[in-house]
Amino acid sequence: MSIPQSDVERRKQISVRGIAQVGDVNEIKKTFNRHLHYTLVKDRNVATARDYYFALAHTVKDHLVSRWIRTQQYYYEKDPKRVYYLSLEFYMGRSLSNTMINLGIQNSVDEALYQLGLDIEELEELEEDAGLGNGGLGRLAACFLDSMATLGMAAYGYGIRYEYGIFAQKIINGEQQEEPDDWLRFGNPWEKARPEYMLPVNFYGNVVDTPNGKKWVNTQVIFALPYDSPIPGYNNNVVNTLRLWSAKSPIDFNLKFFNDGDYIQAVLDRNLAENISRVLYPNDNNFGGKELRLKQEYFMCAATLQDIIRRFKAAKFGTREYTRTDFDLLPDKVAIQLNDTHPSLAIPELMRILVDIEGLPWNKAWNITVKTCAYTNHTVLPEALERWPVEMLQNILPRHLEIIYQINHLHLEEVLKKWPGDLDRMRRMSLIEEEGGKRVNMAHLSIVGSHAVNGVARIHSEIIKSDLFKDFYEMTPEKFQNKTNGITPRRWLLMCNPGLSDLISDKIGEDWVVHLDQLSKLTQWAKDPNFQRAVMKVKQENKLKLAQLLEKEYGVKINPGSMFDIHVKRIHEYKRQLLNCLHIITLYNRIKRNPSAKCTPRTVMIGGKAAPGYYTAKKIIKLINCVANVVNNDPMVGDKLKVIFLENYRVSLAEKIIPAADLSEQISTAGTEASGTGNMKFQLNGALTIGTLDGANVEMAEEMGRENIFIFGMTVEEVEELKRKGYNAYDYYNANPELKLVVDQIQNGFFTPNNPDEFKDLADILLKYDRFFLLADYDAYIKKQEEASNVYQDQAKWVEMAIHNIASSGKFSSDRTIIEYGREIWGVEPSYEKLPAPHEPRELTLKEN
Ligand SMILES: *Cc1c(COP(=O)(O)O)cnc(C)c1O
C-alpha cells in the first residue's frame, strides 16, 4: 500500500482534528494491534485491507464507549426532557472519519496508521455506507442526530435496522440496474445488539369489549430486537444513541405447525416474520401503499413507544428510584418528532397505550398525546402523501383503526362547531377519505394529533398553510411553523473538505465548526487576491482529486480545467434532470453549428438513483447516458463539453463530488422541492448555484444576495398563474427553434440511431403530459446558463462570488435548525457545556438506563 504523503502531511496541520500526542499515538497502535490479533484473529502476514479497516474501526469505537456509557448515565441522573426523533430512514453514510473528527483523534490516528505503514484513506474506503435512506429526508435525520449530540440534547434516533439499505446502482448499457445492498455482510463494528431490551409487537387479531375497556386479542407477535449505534457530538464528550429495531420471530412462532408435526415448515416460516426489517423501500417522494411497508411503520412505532414509556417510568430523582405513573408529566419529559407521516402510527399507538393499557380517560390521553407529538411535512406532491386503505388497517391493526375513527369523530365535531353546516369542509378535513375506496389520510391524522406542524423551508411552510393544509391552518393556525432545513458542518465541510476547512480556520479560527454564522467574517476577504487565489487553489485540488477518482474507477478522462457543472440528487421528474438534458443538447447543437465560437468548457455530471418502479425516471437516466455517448465521442466537441453520469450516488460519493463542484444545479419547478439540502452542501463548499426560487434556494439567495446566485425561471405565483390559464407546451416548442430542434432530436432518436423510438415517451411527456413545465422555463434556464458561462471566464469574479456563498451559508447549519426545533417545538435548550472526558473525575456512578 502506498502512502499519500501530502495527504498525511495536510491532515496533520489541522488542529481541529486534534494534535497527535506521542502517548495517544502509541496507545492507538497498541489497541489496533490488539484488535487485529484478538478481534480479527489475524497477523500482519495474512491480514487483508478489510481486516485493517475493522481493526481500526474497533480501535476508534473503543474511544467512544466510556463517553457513551457516561452520557447515558448522566441523562439517567439528570432526567432532562428527552427528544425522540422517529424516522423510517437514517441515511448515515460512513462512521469512521466522522467519529475520529468529532472525537478530535484524527491526527493521532493518522500518525499511528502512518507509523504502522498503512494508508488510512484506503482503509476508509472499505467502510460500507449505512444507506438506510433514500435521499434528503433520511440524510436530514442523520444531520439532526449529529447536531443534537453536538448541542448536548438528550436525544435518541429511532428507526429500523434494514438488512438491505438503498440498492446499489449499476449502469449497464446506459440503463440503471439495481443490486441488493448487503451492507452487513462483513459485520457492522459500530452497532451493539441489545437482546435484553427486546420487545413484542402485535399484528392482526381482533378487538373485544371487556369491563376494563377495549382489548386487542388473538394477535400475532413479532419481537423487535434493538441495535444501538453511537452518535458522538463534536468535541463535547457527548455520545447519544441511534436505536434501530430488527424483526425477530418468537420461539413459539407458528405453534400450529409444531402441533401438526410440520416442524421443518414451522422453522422455515420464521423468516416470513423477520421480513419486516429486511429491506428499505426505495421510493423517494412516492407512496407505494404496500402492506409490508405498513407493517414496517407500525413495527417501528410500537417498539419505540414501549421503549419511550419504559424510560419515562424509570425516572430517578436523587437516590430514590420509582415508577412514574403520572402521565400528565409525559409532555414535560418527552418530545416525539415525526419525520413525515411515515411514523404517524405513533399517534394512535400512544393513545392505545394510555387508554387501553394504562387506563387513562380518552380526553386526558388525547391532551397528552397532542402535547407530546409534533409532525414535520416534507412534500406537497400528491403522489407522496400516505393514504392507507381502511381495509388494510382493519386487517393488520384493527384497534388502531377504531382509535383513528374515534379521533376523527371528535375532530369532525370540532370542525362542525367552528363551521356549522359546512359539509364540504368536513369532507375535505376528514381523516377518512371516501373517494375511490376508503383511505386514512396520514397527514391529516398527524396534524390533528400534534401540537406543532412544520414545513422545512419558508416557502414550503407558506405553501402548506395556503394550499395543502389550508383548512387545518384556518382551524388551528397556532400549530403551524417553519423550520428551514440545515446540514451538519462537521461532515459537509470539516470532514469532506479539509483544504477549505484549513483555509477558513487560518482566517477566522475554529469556532465556525460549531457556530457556522462566523463564516460571515470571510466576507472581508472576498476581494482579497491572496485569499481568492487560496480558495481557487483548494477548489482546483478538489477537482483534480475527483478527476483522478473518475479516471481510476470508471476510466473516464475529464478536463479539470473545465467548469464542473453538477446535478446530483434522486432522479425525479419534479427535480427536472430532463431540463438539464435539454441544456446539454442545446450546448451540443451550438458547438456543432458554430465550432469556432469561443465557449466555456464544461463537464456536466448528473447522478442519482431512480426508484426501481419509476419508469420515466429510469428513461431519463438512459437519455443522459445516450446523450453522453454521442457528445463524448464527437471529435468536433473535444474538450468543450463532456457529460458524465455518476453511478451509485450516495453519501460517501457526495462527500467527494460536492467539494469539487463549480456549479450546483437546483432547478426544480417552483413550489415542488420542499427545501432541498443538497443545495446547502454545495453553497458551503463554494460552488455557485443555478436554481429556481424553490425550497431553501429562496433563503440562500436572500442570505448571499441575488448578485451571487444564478436565479432563473417561474416563481411559485407564476407557476400557479400558468396552471390557471392552462399550460400548453407547444406554445414554447413552436416559438423557439432551438428548443424545437432539441425536443425533435429526443423524439426522433438522434441519440439512439438503432432504436429511433427509444425516447418518444419522454418527448411525449415534454409536449403533452408535463406536470413540471420544463419548456416554460427552458428559455430562462438557457440564458442563465450563458450568464454562468460568461462569469466563469472571469475567474476573479467567480471566486469572489464563491467566497460570498461560503460566507453566507451560516444559516444552513443543522445546529441552527435544531436550536429552533428545541426552542419552538420541544421545549429543550442547547448546552455548550462539555461532559467530563473518560479520564476526568466524575461524581456519579449510577446504572445505565
Ligand atoms: C444531501 C443528499 C441528498 C439530498 O439532495 P437534494 O438535492 O436536496 O435532493 C440526497 N442524497 C444524498 C446522498 C445526499 O447526501
Side-chain angles (χ1 to χ4, degrees):
M1 271 186 275
S2 65
I3 295 129
Q5 186 66 37
S6 68
D7 279 328
V8 170
E9 284 306 314
R10 178 161 47 70
R11 290 163 70 142
K12 265 194 223 169
Q13 300 160 7
I14 309 163
S15 58
V16 269
R17 286 148 188 262
I19 295 148
Q21 310 268 355
V22 180
D24 293 351
V25 173
N26 287 336
E27 179 60 36
I28 288 163
K29 281 161 67 183
K30 244 173 65 186
T31 311
F32 177 92
N33 286 326
R34 185 165 53 75
H35 276 299
L36 192 63
H37 188 86
Y38 290 102
T39 310
L40 281 305
V41 196
K42 287 284 180 82
D43 65 43
R44 296 231 22 197
N45 297 313
V46 290
T48 63
R50 182 167 285 108
D51 292 321
Y52 291 131
Y53 159 70
F54 277 103
L56 177 56
H58 283 288
T59 303
V60 170
K61 192 192 167 189
D62 285 354
H63 283 254
L64 277 171
V65 292
S66 299
R67 289 174 172 88
W68 197 4
I69 289 169
R70 277 206 185 182
T71 302
Q72 302 310 311
Q73 284 175 337
Y74 177 79
Y75 293 156
Y76 178 69
E77 187 64 24
K78 285 267 197 155
D79 195 30
K81 184 166 182 179
R82 263 63 163 212
V83 173
Y84 294 100
Y85 198 81
L86 273 59
S87 180
L88 269 285
E89 303 186 16
F90 287 92
Y91 204 169
M92 302 298 287
R94 292 174 176 156
S95 290
L96 178 57
S97 294
N98 185 246
T99 304
M100 293 190 294
I101 292 240
N102 281 16
L103 256 36
I105 58 169
Q106 177 140 55
N107 282 315
S108 300
V109 174
D110 280 358
E111 180 60 28
L113 274 272
Y114 177 75
Q115 290 182 17
L116 289 164
L118 296 170
D119 177 353
I120 189 164
E121 289 200 5
E122 186 189 326
L123 302 190
E124 284 169 353
E125 284 304 308
L126 293 170
E127 180 172 0
E128 300 273 350
D129 277 39
L132 309 185
N134 277 285
L137 175 148
R139 184 54 232 177
L140 185 77
C143 284
F144 280 4
L145 294 182
D146 182 85
S147 285
M148 291 188 291
T150 296
L151 293 166
M153 293 180 179
Y156 303 77
Y158 272 93
I160 293 176
R161 179 182 178 270
Y162 300 107
E163 196 176 323
Y164 294 86
I166 188 67
F167 64 85
Q169 179 191 56
K170 286 271 147 65
I171 301 298
I172 293 166
N173 296 325
E175 293 177 13
Q176 167 174 299
Q177 284 198 10
E178 300 90 21
E179 282 183 357
D181 168 40
D182 193 4
W183 71 295
L184 296 167
R185 186 172 56 240
F186 299 106
N188 176 2
W190 304 104
E191 70 183 7
K192 178 73 188 85
R194 300 272 186 213
E196 69 277 25
Y197 295 129
M198 201 154 70
L199 293 166
V201 176
N202 295 283
F203 294 92
Y204 304 106
N206 52 285
V207 183
V208 293
D209 259 314
T210 77
N212 301 319
K214 302 270 193 171
K215 257 185 97 93
W216 183 19
V217 296
N218 297 323
T219 55
Q220 287 183 25
V221 176
I222 295 175
F223 281 98
L225 168 59
Y227 285 78
D228 290 350
S229 298
I231 307 293
Y234 179 76
N235 188 224
N236 63 176
N237 298 318
V238 169
V239 181
N240 284 344
T241 301
L242 169 61
R243 178 162 282 185
L244 300 177
W245 302 103
S246 180
K248 196 86 188 111
S249 246
I251 293 291
D252 61 1
F253 186 76
N254 258 338
L255 214 54
K256 179 177 72 69
F257 267 128
F258 279 119
N259 297 336
D260 293 349
D262 199 344
Y263 161 74
I264 296 292
Q265 195 57 48
V267 173
L268 294 179
D269 284 357
R270 292 170 62 83
N271 280 317
L272 265 44
E274 293 171 3
N275 276 341
I276 286 181
S277 57
R278 196 76 68 205
V279 57
L280 167 74
Y281 274 92
N283 294 323
D284 186 62
N285 278 297
N286 191 254
F287 173 58
K290 290 286 187 286
E291 186 169 291
L292 181 60
R293 167 69 180 205
L294 178 65
K295 288 181 179 171
Q296 289 183 338
E297 293 183 357
Y298 179 64
F299 174 74
M300 196 280 276
C301 293
T304 301
L305 274 166
Q306 289 178 71
D307 228 27
I308 291 173
I309 300 289
R310 175 189 58 74
R311 201 173 285 119
F312 169 75
K313 286 181 170 179
K316 170 124 182 44
F317 294 104
T319 53
R320 196 157 52 88
E321 275 181 67
Y322 78 100
T323 296
R324 196 147 38 188
T325 53
D326 184 358
F327 286 95
D328 285 330
L329 288 176
L330 192 77
D332 300 327
K333 286 291 166 190
V334 170
I336 295 175
Q337 191 67 36
L338 307 176
N339 197 20
D340 213 312
T341 59
H342 313 154
S344 60
L345 286 167
I347 292 166
E349 175 67 1
L350 181 53
M351 284 300 288
R352 191 184 68 83
I353 292 169
L354 295 177
V355 174
D356 293 2
I357 299 173
E358 302 290 347
L360 270 64
W362 178 280
N363 287 337
K364 195 174 166 110
W366 182 244
N367 286 333
I368 292 167
T369 298
V370 171
K371 277 201 229 166
T372 304
C373 296
Y375 156 56
T376 304
N377 172 271
H378 284 271
T379 179
V380 301
L381 293 183
E383 65 268 33
L385 302 176
E386 290 191 302
R387 293 148 65 247
W388 289 108
V390 162
E391 216 180 314
M392 208 184 272
L393 285 166
Q394 175 69 57
N395 179 36
I396 296 169
L397 301 168
R399 179 57 183 140
H400 296 79
L401 183 62
E402 279 189 2
I403 291 169
I404 290 167
Y405 269 114
Q406 179 64 13
I407 294 170
N408 194 39
H409 173 75
L410 297 168
H411 158 61
L412 291 180
E413 272 185 1
E414 293 297 311
V415 174
L416 213 51
K417 238 186 263 170
K418 197 158 168 134
W419 291 282
D422 194 343
L423 295 182
D424 198 51
R425 187 183 290 261
M426 262 184 56
R427 181 191 55 75
R428 292 197 310 266
M429 294 185 74
S430 177
L431 308 194
I432 313 293
E433 296 179 355
E434 305 279 349
E435 308 97 272
K438 283 195 176 188
R439 288 165 178 271
V440 177
N441 185 315
M442 304 308 275
H444 292 184
L445 172 64
S446 301
I447 296 168
V448 173
S450 298
H451 69 285
V453 177
N454 74 283
V456 290
R458 193 209 296 137
I459 190 174
H460 167 62
S461 298
E462 290 303 318
I463 290 171
I464 69 181
K465 287 193 290 184
S466 65
D467 191 11
L468 186 62
F469 302 142
K470 183 163 189 282
D471 294 319
F472 291 90
Y473 175 64
E474 286 169 4
M475 182 153 158
T476 51
E478 68 283 357
K479 282 189 184 181
F480 286 78
Q481 300 194 22
N482 172 241
K483 296 287 166 281
T484 299
N485 281 167
I487 55 170
T488 170
R490 273 70 68 183
R491 181 175 297 261
W492 296 113
L493 180 52
L494 183 59
M495 182 181 121
C496 74
N497 199 343
L500 185 58
S501 297
D502 280 357
L503 197 54
I504 293 169
S505 295
D506 283 348
K507 283 289 186 196
I508 65 171
E510 294 152 11
D511 254 16
W512 61 268
V513 176
V514 285
H515 298 286
L516 202 65
D517 287 335
Q518 300 212 3
L519 292 183
S520 66
K521 291 181 190 166
L522 295 171
T523 309
Q524 62 188 295
W525 297 290
K527 285 181 188 294
D528 173 16
N530 289 319
F531 189 62
Q532 287 186 347
R533 254 194 307 279
V535 171
M536 271 194 298
K537 180 159 173 273
V538 167
K539 182 63 79 181
Q540 201 51 47
E541 284 169 358
N542 292 339
K543 288 172 71 174
L544 212 56
K545 197 164 175 181
L546 179 62
Q548 284 164 357
L549 177 95
L550 294 179
E551 182 161 1
K552 182 166 151 264
E553 299 285 323
Y554 307 102
V556 292
K557 263 203 157 66
I558 59 176
N559 169 15
S562 63
M563 179 204 285
F564 283 14
D565 168 353
I566 303 190
H567 197 174
V568 284
K569 52 184 75 245
R570 286 299 290 254
I571 309 292
H572 202 296
E573 286 167 276
Y574 86 83
K575 292 174 183 277
R576 301 205 290 192
Q577 283 90 359
L578 195 46
L579 180 58
N580 190 332
C581 252
L582 300 182
H583 173 245
I584 295 168
I585 299 169
T586 303
L587 287 183
Y588 175 70
N589 289 339
R590 286 183 181 180
I591 293 168
K592 297 291 280 184
R593 211 182 314 131
N594 191 356
S596 59
K598 97 168 185 30
C599 80
T600 302
R602 284 197 193 220
T603 303
V604 183
M605 297 178 231
I606 304 178
K609 292 172 186 177
Y614 189 170
Y615 175 84
T616 303
K618 289 181 135 181
K619 259 282 146 90
I620 291 169
I621 291 176
K622 184 154 193 200
L623 176 64
I624 295 163
N625 283 301
C626 290
V627 170
N629 196 38
V630 169
V631 170
N632 297 348
N633 294 301
D634 190 327
M636 216 185 236
V637 175
D639 251 8
K640 290 176 183 165
L641 181 61
K642 283 275 173 288
V643 180
I644 312 283
F645 189 88
L646 296 165
E647 191 177 84
N648 202 25
Y649 181 60
R650 61 200 187 282
V651 173
S652 59
L653 188 55
E655 289 161 8
K656 300 182 176 96
I657 292 166
I658 291 168
D662 292 308
L663 189 64
S664 159
E665 300 269 355
Q666 308 297 337
I667 62 176
S668 54
T669 312
T672 65
E673 186 74 273
S675 165
T677 48
N679 47 3
M680 302 167 186
K681 299 168 196 166
F682 282 99
Q683 183 193 351
L684 183 59
N685 283 276
L688 303 194
T689 296
I690 183 163
T692 48
L693 283 175
D694 198 19
N697 298 354
V698 177
E699 290 158 78
M700 284 165 50
E702 193 172 293
E703 292 296 304
M704 69 180 82
R706 284 287 279 268
E707 67 280 13
N708 291 305
I709 183 168
F710 302 106
I711 295 290
F712 74 95
M714 292 178 288
T715 62
V716 169
E717 293 74 23
E718 286 164 348
V719 170
E720 288 306 314
E721 178 58 29
L722 183 61
K723 282 185 200 166
R724 267 195 298 279
K725 75 164 209 242
Y727 171 63
N728 185 359
Y730 283 98
D731 294 347
Y732 305 92
Y733 170 84
N734 289 318
N736 185 338
E738 215 177 7
L739 169 60
K740 182 170 186 303
L741 173 61
V742 171
V743 176
D744 289 348
Q745 286 169 320
I746 293 171
Q747 173 93 256
N748 64 29
F750 182 90
F751 300 102
T752 45
N754 296 327
N755 182 8
D757 290 345
E758 180 76 54
F759 300 119
K760 270 209 162 22
D761 39 15
L762 288 185
D764 254 23
I765 289 175
L766 285 172
L767 291 171
K768 296 181 204 156
Y769 312 110
D770 182 6
R771 299 166 57 205
F772 301 105
F773 316 114
L774 273 64
L775 301 202
D777 269 344
Y778 171 84
D779 208 48
Y781 182 51
I782 299 297
K783 292 214 165 76
K784 198 50 75 168
Q785 287 282 20
E786 284 170 28
E787 193 184 319
S789 279
N790 290 334
V791 176
Y792 196 76
Q793 294 296 326
D794 182 352
Q795 281 289 294
K797 175 72 196 159
W798 186 277
V799 71
E800 182 188 333
M801 289 170 72
I803 294 166
H804 282 298
N805 268 261
I806 299 164
S808 60
S809 55
K811 173 173 176 180
F812 305 106
S813 168
S814 47
D815 297 346
R816 185 270 313 152
T817 313
I818 286 298
I819 289 169
E820 291 179 6
Y821 275 93
R823 296 233 162 97
E824 296 159 26
I825 299 179
W826 303 332
V828 167
E829 286 294 318
S831 158
Y832 291 95
E833 261 173 62
K834 263 173 123 163
L835 292 185
H839 55 85
E840 290 165 356
R842 57 174 177 183
E843 306 106 62
L844 316 165
T845 38
L846 288 159
K847 78 165 194 192
E848 181 191 351
N849 172 33

